[in-house]
Amino acid sequence: MSLTRLRQQGGAVVLTIPSDIAARAGWSVGTVLDVTADGEAVSIRPTGRVARGRKTLAQLLAGIDECEIRDFNEAVSDGLNDTPQGRESI
């Protein structure tokens, strides 16, 4: 059992979900959650949960971080487009 505390952030009351619980539920930063109340009980569920491998092209493209892709491409480049550094011949 994990305990958490409600806190004030601007005009909202914020509930922090422990990271181990979020990970077990398959939630990550940006997951949209549906919060409903029934008496004193509160239910939190993801809205429109999409099974792994069942995303649309638009959903996949929305998750791309262009800076991360650019950094990755630079890190794995083989240097063939670089200017010569010495007397090598290509």
Side-chain angles (χ1 to χ4, degrees), residues 17-33 46 49-52 55:
I17 299 172
S19 58
D20 62 320
I21 292 175
R24 278 189 282 160
W27 301 343
S28 59
V29 173
T31 299
V32 179
L33 301 172
R49 183 175 177 147
V50 177
R52 205 176 260 180
K55 295 182 179 178

Side-chain angles (χ1 to χ4, degrees), residues 39-80:
E40 289 189 15
V42 175
S43 175
I44 303 173
R45 297 176 185 194
T47 60
R49 183 175 177 147
V50 177
R52 205 176 260 180
R54 302 285 183 184
K55 295 182 179 178
T56 65
L57 179 59
Q59 290 170 322
L60 292 171
L61 292 175
I64 293 175
D65 181 353
E66 292 182 29
C67 292
E68 184 179 358
I69 297 295
R70 189 178 315 109
D71 293 343
F72 174 77
N73 286 336
E74 289 174 7
V76 298
S77 73
D78 56 8
L80 286 177

